[in-house]
Amino acid sequence: MKAEVFNSYNKYMILKHALKENNVSETCDLFGISRTTYYNWKRAYLKHGMMGLEIKEHKKPKMPNKVNKTIENEILSYVQRFPEDGPNRIYYELKAEGYDIGVSGIYNVLKRNNLSKKVQRLQYSKNKKQNSGGNRNNRKLIKCFDNKKKSYVGYLVIQRIDFIGTYEGIGKIYQYTLYDTYSKWGSVKIYNKKQDIDMWDYFELKLGYLMSTLNLDIDNLLTEKTREFIPYFIKNNKYRNIMEDFNINHKFISHENNSIFNDMDEFNKLLVKEFYSRITKENIDSFNKVERALHKFLRHYNFARKISGGCNEGKVPAKVILERVAHNNVDFETLPLWILTLINSLKRGDYNEEN
């Protein structure tokens, strides 16, 4: 059924069904509409109520290579900072900032401004002053998230990808990290091939499951924007679907010595010092063994290692998570047995690696 045949009441009932079932994808399949249509209706309803659902949608023809002035300025600003990059790299960077423009559109802008060749971009950058807009945006984000009164589990979570190194008999190790800045909880997934990196699959299957089970939310998610790994965050639209499904405010931000990354930097230094540096010493000679050893290390970190400073000093990250779960009025009796076992161990204060 086409979306145009639904009246405002039909649209409202579809929105209500998705909310009740807590599954947007199945709702869209059931009623034969796209996720884009669903979220257009949802935004209209949140903004205007039932009147918003009565507004007819008028689709304008898309001009894929037509670039407005705002996007063109962003492209030129990027060339100022990174003149060696061509259209493909600029595409990934702008997509991370939420700009929807194809590689051909970017090339047309460069050509129109006589910047299609690397030597032209280098000269253009040399003649322009360094653009400070990105630094201003980062400072605004830091100020926004520096409000201690708003701090709680899931208020601000940071994620990143790092190349850890190459180890004899094991190969390369790439690490995806997700870190909650309030509880100091760290979640890590490692890969031994760059092309296998798919952290959104891990996010959806493992972290999404835990969030739903424990009734926890991630309100703000910052992805550290690095030139090497940014394509792995935005190479498909899966991340956009996940952000919409879990109602997460997601931003890309460059590191640039920002204090907002300090705790996560310390967490990664801890992993390097106390885990990765011991791989060869403890005869860990395969990638599978590294995965098992890392899982054990993180269990100890999250469930037994006490936080050394801040408002949660003396607690372990899992204890802080548990307090938030209790605050959300979760019925503990309905939780899976393995989670209940960990919770009971934390309550007794006798958690060990065998739990």
Side-chain angles (χ1 to χ4, degrees), residues 86-98:
N88 286 308
R89 168 55 62 179
I90 297 174
Y91 163 76
Y92 283 118
E93 294 289 340
L94 291 187
K95 190 173 182 181
E97 298 295 337

Side-chain angles (χ1 to χ4, degrees), residues 225-240:
K225 187 170 66 173
T226 55
R227 290 166 59 77
E228 180 181 3
F229 294 111
I230 193 171
Y232 294 89
F233 286 103
I234 59 177
K235 61 183 177 182
N236 57 49
N237 287 323
K238 189 173 185 179
Y239 89 94
R240 294 188 184 277

Side-chain angles (χ1 to χ4, degrees), residues 74-193:
E74 285 296 326
I75 294 172
L76 296 178
S77 173
Y78 184 85
V79 172
Q80 286 181 214
R81 290 173 285 147
F82 305 105
E84 295 186 356
D85 290 351
N88 286 308
R89 168 55 62 179
I90 297 174
Y91 163 76
Y92 283 118
E93 294 289 340
L94 291 187
K95 190 173 182 181
E97 298 295 337
Y99 294 102
D100 189 14
I101 178 175
V103 175
S104 60
I106 294 171
Y107 175 79
N108 289 339
V109 170
L110 296 178
K111 186 176 181 180
R112 186 163 59 247
N113 289 275
N114 295 318
L115 297 172
S116 58
K117 297 179 180 179
K118 181 178 176 181
V119 64
Q120 294 171 321
R121 296 193 296 273
L122 288 169
Q123 186 61 46
Y124 176 83
S125 177
K126 184 177 180 181
N127 294 337
K128 292 285 186 177
K129 293 182 179 180
Q130 186 74 16
N131 189 302
S132 60
N135 291 332
R136 288 197 301 270
N137 290 336
N138 284 349
R139 287 196 293 269
K140 288 180 181 178
L141 280 171
I142 293 171
K143 185 176 181 180
C144 174
F145 294 125
D146 199 29
N147 188 343
K148 302 302 182 184
K149 294 180 180 179
K150 287 186 177 181
S151 292
Y152 48 79
V153 173
Y155 174 69
L156 176 59
V157 177
I158 300 176
Q159 63 178 359
R160 64 191 281 181
I161 299 174
D162 293 279
F163 173 60
I164 301 301
T166 303
Y167 296 82
E168 186 176 355
I170 298 170
K172 295 180 178 179
I173 296 179
Y174 298 91
Q175 175 182 291
Y176 164 67
T177 312
L178 189 123
Y179 182 81
D180 178 66
T181 57
Y182 180 75
S183 67
K184 315 303 180 188
W185 176 280
S187 185
V188 174
K189 170 69 174 174
I190 58 173
Y191 304 86
N192 64 345
K193 294 180 181 178

Side-chain angles (χ1 to χ4, degrees), residues 236-277:
N236 57 49
N237 287 323
K238 189 173 185 179
Y239 89 94
R240 294 188 184 277
N241 296 336
I242 291 175
M243 295 303 103
E244 290 177 343
D245 286 348
F246 290 100
N247 194 29
I248 297 173
N249 175 37
H250 176 253
K251 300 288 184 183
F252 284 95
I253 180 172
S254 299
H255 194 294
E256 297 179 358
N257 298 318
N258 288 325
S259 60
I260 203 167
F261 292 108
N262 286 352
D263 286 347
M264 188 173 196
D265 288 340
E266 291 302 315
F267 175 68
N268 275 358
K269 288 178 183 177
L270 174 72
L271 287 174
V272 171
K273 180 181 179 180
E274 298 190 16
F275 178 72
Y276 290 113
S277 64

Side-chain angles (χ1 to χ4, degrees), residues 192-307:
N192 64 345
K193 294 180 181 178
K194 200 173 185 180
Q195 61 267 31
D196 290 343
I197 297 176
D198 187 358
M199 65 282 152
W200 292 121
D201 181 63
Y202 172 76
F203 189 104
E204 188 174 37
L205 293 179
K206 183 171 181 178
L207 300 173
Y209 165 75
L210 286 175
M211 288 164 63
S212 300
T213 302
L214 300 176
N215 194 25
L216 291 171
D217 295 318
I218 293 178
D219 289 346
N220 302 288
L221 176 64
L222 294 186
T223 298
E224 184 175 339
K225 187 170 66 173
T226 55
R227 290 166 59 77
E228 180 181 3
F229 294 111
I230 193 171
Y232 294 89
F233 286 103
I234 59 177
K235 61 183 177 182
N236 57 49
N237 287 323
K238 189 173 185 179
Y239 89 94
R240 294 188 184 277
N241 296 336
I242 291 175
M243 295 303 103
E244 290 177 343
D245 286 348
F246 290 100
N247 194 29
I248 297 173
N249 175 37
H250 176 253
K251 300 288 184 183
F252 284 95
I253 180 172
S254 299
H255 194 294
E256 297 179 358
N257 298 318
N258 288 325
S259 60
I260 203 167
F261 292 108
N262 286 352
D263 286 347
M264 188 173 196
D265 288 340
E266 291 302 315
F267 175 68
N268 275 358
K269 288 178 183 177
L270 174 72
L271 287 174
V272 171
K273 180 181 179 180
E274 298 190 16
F275 178 72
Y276 290 113
S277 64
R278 296 164 61 183
I279 287 179
T280 53
K281 297 177 183 178
E282 298 184 5
N283 196 31
I284 301 176
D285 55 4
S286 73
F287 186 79
N288 288 337
K289 288 182 179 179
V290 175
E291 285 186 305
R292 289 195 295 270
L294 178 60
H295 177 71
K296 183 177 180 180
F297 179 88
L298 289 171
R299 285 276 291 262
H300 180 270
Y301 169 85
N302 286 316
F303 287 89
R305 190 175 185 125
K306 293 183 179 180
I307 300 170

